[in-house]
Amino acid sequence: MIPAFAVVGHPNKGKSSVVSTLARDDRVAVSMQSGTTQVSESFDIHLGEAHYKLIDTPGFQRPRKVLAWLQQQPVSADQRSERVKAFLQDEACRQQFPDESELLAPIMAGAAILYVVDSSRPYSPEYEAEMEILRWTGQPSMALINPITSRDYIDNWQQALQQFFRTVRIFDAVQADLNQHIELLQAFAHLHQPWSESLSSLVSAVQAEIHRQQLQSCKLAAHLLEDLVRYQQRQKVPDEKQAKSLQPVLQAAYYSWMRKREQKAHDELQTLYRHHQLQRDNTELTLSDDLFDTEKWYAWGLNRKQLAAVGGIAGAAAGGMLDLTVAGSSLLLGTLGGGAIGSSAAWLGANKLAKQKLKGLPLGGFEARIGPMKNRNFPTSYWRVFCSFINALISVTTPGGILSVWMMLR
Amino acid sequence: MDDAQVGKLLEQLSGQQQKPIYKALDRLSRQKDVTNLAEVLEPLFTDGQIPD
């Protein structure tokens, strides 16, 4: 049997967000029903040759009554799972307790249990009925504490959950990084011995997928940088006047091509990291307006240490040319070696990025040309901005949404 | 920003430029050939050193 995990719990405790995060594909999240889950939905997660199922389920609605029904006949521990099956086969129970019927069905069909609770809400005994019902199923189980808004009650939850579950983990579905994701999959592998081998292959497949994304990101970044830096537009015309009149057209075409190339790379990265539904809010980086915005310096080329070193500059620079010049040079990493500090206010102005030339041709006529990139700082600065985009994609775990992206090429 | 701070900043930046990635980007900025830029970038990604 393919490993299957039913994600269960109280309503609105982040079950669906756990499913969408573990799926690592926001198309799963979008295909999930919006709002409160009412029927169980199964999602096949494929990674390489590895395969498992995640099942999003409705929340418990009337667990005490369901537990009372289960307990109305005395049964020994070895008969409890049969009693849960009897509950599912009882038409009256299915009508009276539709949510519990929906969530228990995949478990009794063989799925392991991932019981999700929210550590921002206090523990209370009302949850005990839920956990007791799950214990009656006899299926392998694990509890996940999902800190939806805070970790205030984690200790209380751990104390309580450890009495019902052998494995208790904290898993922040919104903040979880890839290592936490892999650790959780490794814990799954220990839940049920027959699944151990296939889940270990799944962990290997996730690691391979991460490595593939890293290598592919390198190639995308390298091709993009080289394309942007080397690109040029040229056009031959009969005379110099025509060549001059052609320059604005060529310039527009040049920047249009650059923008499209950048957007293509962003699209490819989004696909690579499976953020198919993520929208981008592209914000132009304009140095003149943001010269003293240290947060943007950081994106342009300064790391935290460097920012700390120039921490006083933002306040001091407003009236001082010296500081203004230094502010420019701190961004213009490439000019330091050459000793030339350029005009900071226009360092990435559209007209300053690339060379424009008119050239007489040996056999008559003229050629108008724009490009390649002449701004020495562009590769370093652009590399930083591109990295910020990759880091944002890696850290996004919530489905859909809007990602703010700083674009140099507007 | 006083002279000491400027000096410290320049020192840090010049140190940064010794890294292979910045050497490669510097060559690129001068329109010179860069041998397999993707390979230069690779350790940053695989070792989790992408600038954040």
Side-chain angles (χ1 to χ4, degrees):
Chain A
M1 180 191 169
I2 296 165
F5 298 89
V7 183
V8 301
H10 221 59
N12 302 315
K13 292 293 174 277
K15 298 186 295 295
S16 298
S17 64
V18 168
V19 172
S20 63
T21 298
L22 289 175
R24 298 194 69 226
D25 187 332
D26 65 4
R27 286 175 295 194
V28 168
V30 168
S31 69
M32 289 160 70
Q33 292 190 341
S34 59
T36 303
T37 307
Q38 291 180 324
V39 294
S40 292
E41 290 182 89
S42 179
F43 300 95
D44 289 315
I45 312 297
H46 292 268
L47 276 169
E49 298 295 312
H51 178 201
Y52 75 119
K53 286 178 187 285
L54 282 172
I55 303 156
D56 190 26
T57 69
F60 281 99
Q61 296 291 342
R62 303 168 74 189
R64 287 181 183 170
K65 288 191 183 301
V66 172
L67 185 60
W69 189 95
L70 294 173
Q71 290 174 329
Q72 68 188 351
Q73 289 180 12
V75 286
S76 57
D78 64 327
Q79 295 299 311
R80 284 177 179 168
S81 67
E82 290 302 317
R83 183 75 179 138
V84 178
K85 283 181 188 167
F87 170 85
L88 289 175
Q89 286 163 0
D90 188 303
E91 183 59 33
C93 286
R94 287 214 304 272
Q95 287 192 1
Q96 197 178 352
F97 308 107
D99 295 287
E100 282 77 6
S101 298
E102 272 293 317
L103 75 91
L104 288 170
I107 295 171
M108 296 316 294
I113 297 162
L114 297 180
Y115 181 64
V116 178
V117 300
D118 174 11
S119 65
S120 50
R121 302 298 299 272
Y123 170 77
S124 72
E126 68 177 287
Y127 294 93
E128 285 174 20
E130 299 175 3
M131 295 189 282
E132 187 63 16
I133 293 168
L134 295 174
R135 188 154 65 179
W136 276 51
T137 67
Q139 285 300 104
S141 60
M142 176 192 290
L144 294 180
I145 304 174
N146 184 15
I148 292 180
T149 54
S150 82
R151 295 172 170 251
D152 292 350
Y153 301 100
I154 276 185
D155 291 343
N156 308 67
W157 274 109
Q158 279 180 321
Q159 289 291 329
L161 291 167
Q162 280 163 1
Q163 295 181 44
F164 290 87
F165 299 91
R166 198 174 58 179
T167 308
V168 178
R169 293 244 164 189
I170 299 165
F171 185 76
D172 186 334
V174 175
Q175 301 288 332
D177 63 19
L178 289 169
N179 289 331
Q180 289 168 305
H181 186 173
I182 287 171
E183 282 171 14
L184 189 60
L185 290 175
Q186 285 168 333
F188 287 179
H190 296 297
L191 266 189
H192 189 44
Q193 186 60 33
W195 293 348
S196 176
E197 193 176 327
S198 53
L199 284 169
S200 294
S201 343
L202 185 73
V203 170
S204 302
V206 171
Q207 288 168 328
E209 168 72 357
I210 292 167
H211 191 61
R212 184 186 75 83
Q213 287 174 335
Q214 289 168 336
L215 296 184
Q216 195 59 28
S217 299
C218 291
K219 287 181 185 168
L220 281 171
H223 289 155
L224 175 65
L225 277 168
E226 295 220 49
D227 284 353
L228 293 179
V229 170
R230 310 238 192 253
Y231 184 68
Q232 55 179 276
Q233 280 263 347
R234 56 174 73 190
Q235 179 70 48
K236 290 176 185 171
V237 286
D239 58 53
E240 187 173 3
K241 187 180 173 190
Q242 281 182 313
K244 279 185 180 170
S245 64
L246 191 60
Q247 279 183 315
V249 179
L250 277 185
Q251 180 176 305
Y254 176 84
Y255 288 108
S256 170
W257 185 92
M258 301 278 271
R259 282 192 293 272
K260 283 179 185 167
R261 181 66 186 86
E262 181 181 42
Q263 285 176 0
K264 177 172 175 278
H266 284 184
D267 290 343
E268 288 170 341
L269 272 177
Q270 267 190 238
T271 303
L272 180 64
Y273 287 96
R274 303 186 183 203
H275 290 303
H276 306 277
Q277 312 300 332
L278 192 69
Q279 293 177 51
R280 297 195 302 264
D281 174 21
N282 297 326
T283 304
E284 179 183 0
L285 281 173
T286 53
L287 189 67
S288 53
D289 293 335
D290 302 314
L291 184 59
F292 305 115
D293 183 339
T294 50
E295 189 182 347
K296 289 186 180 173
W297 291 4
Y298 166 59
W300 289 335
L302 293 177
N303 62 28
R304 288 193 175 94
K305 283 183 185 171
Q306 290 157 356
L307 266 182
V310 296
I313 199 169
M321 271 312 291
L322 172 65
D323 281 346
L324 180 65
T325 308
V326 174
S329 73
S330 66
L331 299 171
L332 304 169
L333 299 179
T335 62
L336 291 173
I341 296 176
S343 163
S344 58
W347 72 293
L348 269 180
N351 296 324
K352 306 287 183 185
L353 269 177
K355 294 173 184 172
Q356 288 199 68
K357 272 188 181 174
L358 286 180
K359 184 180 166 188
L361 298 173
L363 298 177
F366 277 80
E367 180 182 81
R369 181 194 301 175
I370 180 167
M373 184 69 63
K374 72 174 180 181
N375 189 299
R376 290 283 308 280
N377 310 295
F378 183 85
T380 300
S381 304
Y382 193 82
W383 158 245
R384 288 291 186 143
V385 171
F386 195 71
C387 284
S388 74
F389 180 63
I390 292 175
N391 279 320
L393 282 180
I394 291 171
S395 62
V396 169
T397 54
T398 45
I402 299 175
L403 180 67
S404 290
V405 181
W406 285 337
M407 309 278 285
M408 280 199 162
L409 303 169
R410 296 284 87 205
Chain B
M1 177 176 274
D2 60 27
D3 288 349
Q5 285 175 303
V6 172
K8 189 175 175 184
L9 172 63
L10 295 181
E11 188 181 329
Q12 286 175 335
L13 294 176
S14 61
Q16 181 171 259
Q17 286 182 302
Q18 298 307 310
K19 292 180 182 176
I21 170 66
Y22 291 104
K23 285 183 179 172
L25 294 176
D26 183 55
R27 284 187 64 81
L28 191 59
S29 77
R30 287 182 280 123
Q31 297 292 334
K32 292 191 172 181
D33 286 338
V34 179
T35 307
N36 208 338
L37 182 58
E39 278 184 16
V40 177
L41 302 180
E42 190 178 313
L44 302 176
F45 284 81
T46 54
D47 298 342
Q49 297 173 23
I50 313 172
D52 61 3

